């Protein structure tokens, strides 16, 4: 994995909602102030779709510029370490992302695939794929961004076509990430524990504490 220097501007700050839910801030800002990506969906195409956070409320796009996409590809374990993104290919990537999200949502909602999105994903998958090589170090994959997009589209098709693949939307209200649930009995609730599960549990704990404190405050002794 390569880390490109953090000289770029961080994600726009207007991500903290008035609800006090600062999840997005936590998610997208790393220790160095740079954008931090989540690879929790179990599939590169779903992870790409997940680069727009809270799609229904206040969408936050963590791929704001071609350099963001270069870093996203570098950080994704299943893609080549290094690609260069020009503007047209970056826009193709965003188009693939939105089409993939739409098709994944169609799967989650058990409705027919959107034809325009199918065309985008299928056309992208028809492009040349990355080269893979085996060595003692393992698998090495190389290819330009077009090949990477083709690879992402292929992997998206594989999961969307699999009748046994259990696709779910994250259980945290406001998180619209769709993930592949491979857990035994498909009992997973969150896209990721760090991203959502722990936050929901912490919020529930705080709510219980608040409720208990209020109840005690109303008690006969009037203590808290
Ligand atoms: Zn989530």
């Amino acid at each position: 994995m390569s880390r490109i220097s953090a000289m770029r501007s961080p994600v726009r700050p207007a991500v903290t909602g008035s609800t006090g839910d600062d999840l997005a801030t936590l998610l997208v800002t790393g220790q160095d102030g740079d954008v931090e990506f989540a690879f929790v969906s179990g599939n590169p195409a779903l992870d790409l779709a997940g680069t727009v956070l809270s799609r229904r409320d206040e969408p936050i796009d963590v791929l704001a510029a071609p350099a963001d996409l270069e870093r996203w590809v570098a950080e994704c374990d299943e893609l080549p370490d290094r690609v260069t993104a020009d503007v047209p290919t970056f826009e193709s990537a965003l188009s693939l992302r939105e089409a993939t999200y739409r098709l994944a949502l169609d799967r989650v909602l058990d409705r027919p695939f959107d034809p325009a999105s199918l065309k985008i994903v299928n056309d992208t998958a028809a492009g040349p794929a990355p080269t893979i090589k085996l060595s003692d170090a393992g698998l090495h994959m190389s290819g330009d961004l077009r090949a990477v997009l083709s690879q992402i589209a292929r992997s998206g098709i594989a999961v969307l076509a699999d009748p046994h693949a259990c696709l779910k939307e994250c259980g945290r209200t406001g998180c619209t990430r769709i993930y592949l649930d491979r857990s035994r009995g498909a009992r997973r609730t969150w896209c990721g524990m760090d991203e959502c599960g722990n936050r929901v549990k912490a919020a529930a704990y705080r709510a219980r504490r608040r409720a208990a404190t209020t109840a005690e405050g109303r008690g006969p002794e009037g203590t808290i």
Side-chain angles (χ1 to χ4, degrees), residues 147-178:
V148 164
L149 297 186
S150 173
Q151 175 77 7
I152 293 170
R154 287 162 195 243
S155 104
I157 288 173
V159 74
L160 291 166
D162 180 358
H164 303 297
C166 179
L167 295 189
K168 289 182 179 174
E169 185 178 280
C170 178
R172 186 183 72 82
T173 304
C175 177
T176 50
R177 194 186 299 275
I178 294 174

Side-chain angles (χ1 to χ4, degrees), residues 183-204:
S183 67
R184 185 187 290 265
R187 296 167 93 161
R188 190 170 146 195
T189 307
W190 321 109
C191 67
M193 285 314 291
D194 289 345
E195 286 71 18
C196 287
N198 289 335
R199 275 196 68 78
V200 172
K201 288 180 179 182

Side-chain angles (χ1 to χ4, degrees), residues 4 17-18 24 43 53 68 91 119 125 127 138 155 165 170 195 197 202 211:
I4 294 166
S18 54
N43 175 278
L53 314 176
D68 297 322
E91 284 169 1
K119 177 162 174 38
S155 104
C170 178
E195 286 71 18

Side-chain angles (χ1 to χ4, degrees), residues 21-92:
D21 185 349
D22 56 349
L23 171 73
T25 310
L26 294 174
L27 258 183
V28 301
T29 308
Q31 287 183 336
D32 54 5
D34 209 347
V35 179
E36 197 157 86
F37 302 124
F39 295 92
V40 292
S41 300
N43 175 278
L46 297 178
D47 280 330
L48 180 64
T51 57
V52 178
L53 314 176
S54 32
R55 285 175 172 269
R56 283 193 285 275
D57 302 328
E58 294 179 66
I60 302 153
D61 187 346
V62 299
L63 299 183
D68 297 322
L69 179 63
E70 291 174 353
R71 199 164 61 82
W72 185 87
V73 171
E75 290 188 17
C76 181
D77 286 342
E78 296 170 60
L79 296 174
D81 286 341
R82 186 177 294 272
V83 290
T84 305
D86 56 20
V87 170
T89 320
F90 173 64
E91 284 169 1
S92 298

